[in-house]
Amino acid sequence: MNLLAIRAAGIAGILGAICWTIGDILLVGGSASPEQYPLLLRDYADRIPFKALAWMLPFDEPRLAAGAMIANLSIPLYLAGSWHLYQGVKPAGGALPFAAFALLFCANAWSPLGHASFYYPAMVYKAIPTLPDAAHPSLLTLGAQFSRMQAMAWFLAVIPLALGMMLLCATILARPTRYPRWSAVVLNPVAPLLLAATGAALPPPVGLWFFAAVLNVGFFIVYALSTILLWNGGRTFAR
């Protein structure tokens, strides 16, 4: 076991979570009301399937682009973090640890498209109020097409990510790993999200930021705890 590599991969996971949190805040960390954008959020609301639009309307194009790109460029950090988590459960042996790693690695590899694709329907819909009425139907159709693609890409990443974390948790509970059994309470898809979601109750804009980035704040908690537990290599905990 290369202890230095495990530490570095854990830190990479933490940094990846920070970068993706920033990307979420830049991309979908706002709030708009129908009174502010009546055409999009009231008149055309039933023709816009893109549910994140109200969180993105207050932001200009450079901010949205930065939010999309920072996550895209920092995904290698999350890929390294997936390997770090795998090292924690590797002593369990068998297929479970590698299956969890494969799910996490693939989910993270697919996630940049799911994240960055928020940019495209938002930019299409943001253009509608600036153009003649005759152009609106075509843009609404294009925006809906982009929205469907965005939803597919997002779920393609999130579903295996959740399954991978569930399998990681099950492995910790069922077999000897380098993690203590109690860590399964945190290293699962639910507890970190609940902890992160408590920040959404804070006053705006901080509460909006926590809401936007809840998934990646949750992974910050996961990688921080895992890095602490494996800093000195952990130890094999018997069932």
Side-chain angles (χ1 to χ4, degrees), residues 50-114:
F50 186 57
K51 303 307 180 185
L53 183 60
W55 307 333
M56 304 176 72
L57 281 174
F59 302 146
D60 58 18
E61 190 279 336
R63 172 167 176 157
L64 296 178
M69 290 304 297
I70 189 172
N72 183 60
L73 294 174
S74 60
I75 196 58
L77 298 172
Y78 261 164
L79 295 175
S82 299
W83 180 85
H84 167 86
L85 295 175
Y86 170 62
Q87 295 304 307
V89 295
K90 188 177 179 181
L96 285 178
F98 185 78
F101 169 66
L103 284 167
L104 293 173
F105 190 89
C106 289
N108 281 306
W110 296 331
S111 61
L113 177 61

Side-chain angles (χ1 to χ4, degrees), residues 4-239:
L4 184 60
I6 291 176
R7 290 176 178 176
I11 293 171
I14 293 171
L15 294 175
I18 292 172
C19 289
W20 275 68
T21 295
I22 294 171
D24 283 340
I25 292 170
L26 292 176
L27 194 64
V28 293
S31 178
S33 68
E35 291 73 25
Q36 294 172 299
Y37 298 89
L39 183 65
L40 296 174
L41 300 182
R42 187 180 62 205
D43 299 348
Y44 288 150
D46 60 343
R47 301 179 64 183
I48 296 178
F50 186 57
K51 303 307 180 185
L53 183 60
W55 307 333
M56 304 176 72
L57 281 174
F59 302 146
D60 58 18
E61 190 279 336
R63 172 167 176 157
L64 296 178
M69 290 304 297
I70 189 172
N72 183 60
L73 294 174
S74 60
I75 196 58
L77 298 172
Y78 261 164
L79 295 175
S82 299
W83 180 85
H84 167 86
L85 295 175
Y86 170 62
Q87 295 304 307
V89 295
K90 188 177 179 181
L96 285 178
F98 185 78
F101 169 66
L103 284 167
L104 293 173
F105 190 89
C106 289
N108 281 306
W110 296 331
S111 61
L113 177 61
H115 177 87
S117 61
F118 278 80
Y119 170 90
Y120 300 101
M123 290 305 300
V124 169
Y125 290 128
K126 281 170 67 69
I128 288 176
T130 68
L131 297 173
D133 291 352
H136 294 184
S138 295
L139 289 176
L140 287 167
T141 299
L142 180 60
Q145 292 170 340
F146 280 161
S147 297
R148 286 193 293 271
M149 182 65 178
Q150 178 274 321
M152 288 189 292
W154 192 82
F155 281 110
L156 180 64
V158 169
I159 291 174
L161 192 64
L163 292 175
M165 291 305 296
M166 290 173 62
L167 197 54
L168 187 88
C169 177
T171 304
I172 294 170
L173 291 173
R175 297 182 180 179
T177 71
R178 293 191 175 102
Y179 295 117
R181 187 181 294 183
W182 63 260
S183 66
V185 175
V186 177
L187 302 178
N188 66 73
V190 178
L193 294 182
L194 292 177
L195 290 171
T198 59
L202 295 172
V206 177
L208 295 173
W209 297 343
F210 269 92
F211 177 77
V214 64
L215 180 62
N216 291 295
V217 173
F219 269 100
F220 175 85
I221 296 170
V222 166
Y223 282 115
L225 176 63
S226 180
T227 301
I228 291 169
L229 292 175
L230 300 185
W231 190 257
N232 292 318
R235 66 184 182 88
T236 302
F237 291 82
R239 183 177 176 180

